Amino acid sequence: MLWVTSIFTIVCVLIAVAFYTLYERKILGYIQIRKGPKSVGFWGILQPFADAVKLFLNELILPMKSNKVLFMMAPILGFSLALFLWVIYPSVYCIKFISFSLLIFLCISAINVYCILLAGWTSNSKYAFLGALRASAQTISYEVSMLFILIVPVLLIFETNMEMALKGYSVMFLMFPLLLVWFTTTLAETNRAPFDFAEGESELVSGFNVEYGGGLFALLFLAEYANIIFMSTMSMIWFFYNNNSFLFVLGIVFFSTFYLFARGAYPRHRYDLLMMLCWKSFLPFGICMLFLCLLCWLIMMYFNYIF
Amino acid sequence: MVNLFTIMLFISMIMFFMYLMLFYKNYSLEKQSAFECGFEPLSEMRTPFSLRFFILVILFLIFDIEISLLFPIISISTLMLSLFMKTSLLIFLIILLIGLFHEWNEGAIDWMSMF
């Protein structure tokens, strides 16, 4: 039973990621006033599958002085972590009940840093090394502010389980600025444009995955996009009231569309400004939001005591 | 959880071995050299890096530990939350915020030091 459900989850995730890449190329195309992929299949529907076949037929190249086993381990680790993240996807029809799914989410998103660092360090190239350093520093510092922001809706809904959090209430209407900060944090956490310093094309050629090609690159790529879709799922779970599973999925598509709009609209940020944005603006904001919640509780308790 | 992770690892291993069996081999020495703008890689690869990153990781460690201390409070808060718990959480957050401002004042989180 476990095998069947997990394989079903994996197939769904892979198909979602495949069509998400097509969606990205279409949207970026229309932002730049051109059509995206349109020849393969009908309206370019089969383009992601053609890309996958092409990538998996490419040659495996191991760089000369790299640590070969670790070099091949990094994409496998990243891909399996990204798939494992989707196990805690909340559904009405679930067979499992994980009461601390938020904690599992935090653990896995912390381990993701190792995958990036491993991929960059083992490939023994300067570009990859610098890209991995930047990416890991960025992911680490945004993780802290992400956790503090995420704890606020958890304290408001009183749940750490995602299936129960679906039946909470809309934190978005209570604290709209928190949603904006959360969205920016997820952009930086998944190394997306305008914060894509892990693969800054202008200075580092492709960042931590320069040396990767073919199937190993495909695994890294799939992991990154699966993480992006899961991040938009998280924002849907913790910031909205979802009683309808169709509207829930539609909301995920809505959030992942905003990732693409941000990529199409904004130029790349500056690295030191990005770090300062995290440590000097988002982290104090998150802590103060938590503070505000607790203060409101205390005041409410006080009035309950009086009346 | 562990067996679920094993399944996921197994499936990604299967994808990797499928790829190992599929691809077309055409080895040459030039392909295996590290990427460096068309030149031969001359200099040392794993060079020392800026100390900023290291300081940042230490700061991250502190805040991550604080978050792991916050988590039991949240898990208890789903059951009950007394006045004592709330005030202690408030004091904890105040200490955290003051610590952050102290680091800010010392210049540990500035990317480029002014002096």
Side-chain angles (χ1 to χ4, degrees):
Chain A
M1 194 62 203
L2 209 61
W3 274 91
V4 175
T5 48
S6 45
I7 286 174
F8 192 69
T9 313
I10 287 169
V11 169
C12 288
V13 169
L14 288 182
I15 290 173
V17 167
F19 283 115
Y20 184 56
T21 55
L22 177 67
Y23 185 50
E24 176 178 27
R25 289 171 71 177
K26 278 280 182 192
I27 284 207
L28 283 180
Y30 279 107
I31 282 175
Q32 294 157 6
I33 321 180
R34 62 185 167 86
K35 283 184 186 297
K38 68 180 178 61
S39 327
V40 188
F42 186 59
W43 293 340
I45 281 270
L46 293 177
Q47 181 74 40
F49 300 105
D51 284 341
V53 168
K54 178 243 169 192
L55 278 172
F56 275 97
L57 288 179
N58 270 2
E59 189 181 352
L60 172 72
I61 296 174
L62 300 171
M64 235 183 303
K65 285 177 184 170
S66 63
N67 305 41
K68 305 252 175 356
V69 179
L70 284 177
F71 183 80
M72 288 186 285
M73 270 304 289
I76 297 172
L77 180 71
F79 187 61
S80 53
L81 280 177
L83 289 180
F84 185 54
L85 203 58
W86 278 92
V87 168
I88 58 176
Y89 173 77
S91 164
V92 189
Y93 310 105
C94 65
I95 57 155
K96 84 276 170 207
F97 191 83
I98 309 162
S99 49
F100 281 98
S101 40
L102 183 72
L103 192 61
I104 289 173
F105 166 74
L106 302 184
C107 295
I108 297 169
S109 58
I111 302 174
N112 264 328
V113 181
Y114 283 103
C115 158
I116 291 174
L117 205 58
L118 210 62
W121 185 77
T122 52
S123 50
N124 200 8
S125 160
K126 263 185 183 162
Y127 291 107
F129 182 65
L130 288 175
L133 263 184
R134 283 188 189 183
S136 52
Q138 176 185 341
T139 320
I140 274 175
S141 20
Y142 271 90
E143 198 181 299
V144 175
S145 70
M146 183 182 81
L147 301 191
F148 271 109
I149 291 162
L150 208 52
I151 281 173
V152 176
V154 171
L155 274 179
L156 288 175
I157 301 174
F158 264 135
E159 276 301 335
T160 48
N161 174 23
M162 288 191 192
E163 276 94 15
M164 301 303 283
L166 284 177
K167 295 174 178 60
Y169 53 89
S170 254
V171 180
M172 198 270 282
F173 294 118
L174 263 180
M175 296 178 165
F176 186 66
L178 197 71
L179 181 65
L180 297 180
V181 174
W182 159 258
F183 181 70
T184 319
T185 310
T186 50
L187 271 184
E189 174 75 14
T190 51
N191 296 323
R192 287 294 290 179
F195 308 127
D196 56 342
F197 296 100
E199 40 197 286
E201 284 135 326
S202 49
E203 64 265 42
L204 311 170
V205 182
S206 177
F208 68 94
N209 51 18
V210 201
E211 300 293 338
Y212 285 92
L216 290 177
F217 174 74
L219 289 183
L220 276 176
F221 189 74
L222 286 175
E224 191 190 334
Y225 278 81
N227 277 334
I228 289 166
I229 302 176
F230 196 79
M231 280 294 182
S232 38
T233 313
M234 286 295 284
S235 42
M236 210 46 208
I237 295 164
W238 294 108
F239 287 91
F240 287 89
Y241 170 63
N242 313 288
N243 55 348
N244 187 337
S245 50
F246 178 70
L247 285 181
F248 177 56
V249 175
L250 216 61
I252 296 170
V253 175
F254 176 75
F255 268 103
S256 28
T257 311
F258 269 97
Y259 276 82
L260 310 181
F261 284 164
R263 181 170 177 184
Y266 291 109
R268 190 168 290 124
H269 212 59
R270 222 171 76 193
Y271 191 71
D272 58 330
L273 288 185
L274 173 79
M275 289 316 226
M276 293 307 96
L277 184 71
C278 171
W279 287 101
K280 290 185 178 173
S281 158
F282 284 0
L283 186 60
F285 176 80
I287 297 174
C288 289
M289 271 302 196
L290 255 176
F291 200 83
L292 188 72
C293 285
L294 288 167
L295 218 61
C296 288
W297 271 0
L298 275 179
I299 292 166
M300 272 158 62
M301 245 176 114
Y302 179 69
F303 277 115
N304 279 340
Y305 182 70
I306 288 175
F307 300 116
Chain B
M1 278 288 103
V2 176
N3 51 10
L4 274 172
F5 181 68
T6 325
I7 290 171
M8 298 305 176
L9 196 65
F10 185 70
I11 283 165
S12 44
M13 290 290 263
I14 285 176
M15 282 187 78
F16 176 64
F17 283 119
M18 241 169 60
Y19 166 57
L20 278 190
M21 281 184 277
L22 272 176
F23 71 84
Y24 169 74
K25 296 178 192 67
N26 182 19
Y27 285 123
S28 73
L29 193 67
E30 288 303 316
K31 270 186 195 170
Q32 294 179 22
S33 61
F35 186 89
E36 199 160 4
C37 284
F39 296 105
E40 289 280 320
L42 294 173
S43 49
E44 191 71 24
M45 283 304 179
R46 283 159 189 163
T47 46
F49 53 89
S50 168
L51 201 63
R52 275 292 143 218
F53 291 106
F54 193 71
I55 293 171
L56 211 71
V57 170
I58 292 173
L59 265 178
F60 157 76
L61 209 62
I62 296 166
F63 279 97
D64 222 32
I65 288 170
E66 308 292 355
I67 288 161
S68 59
L69 286 175
L70 272 175
F71 243 87
I73 299 178
I74 291 164
S75 67
I76 289 171
S77 79
T78 58
L79 300 173
M80 50 80 79
L81 203 60
S82 61
L83 185 67
F84 174 70
M85 288 278 289
K86 277 177 187 170
T87 43
S88 54
L89 194 52
L90 268 179
I91 291 165
F92 179 78
L93 283 175
I94 289 171
I95 293 171
L96 201 60
L97 205 59
I98 288 172
L100 180 67
F101 287 144
H102 176 68
E103 291 286 347
W104 193 340
N105 193 31
E106 292 278 307
I109 55 178
D110 286 323
W111 196 256
M112 302 220 262
S113 54
M114 292 299 153
F115 43 89

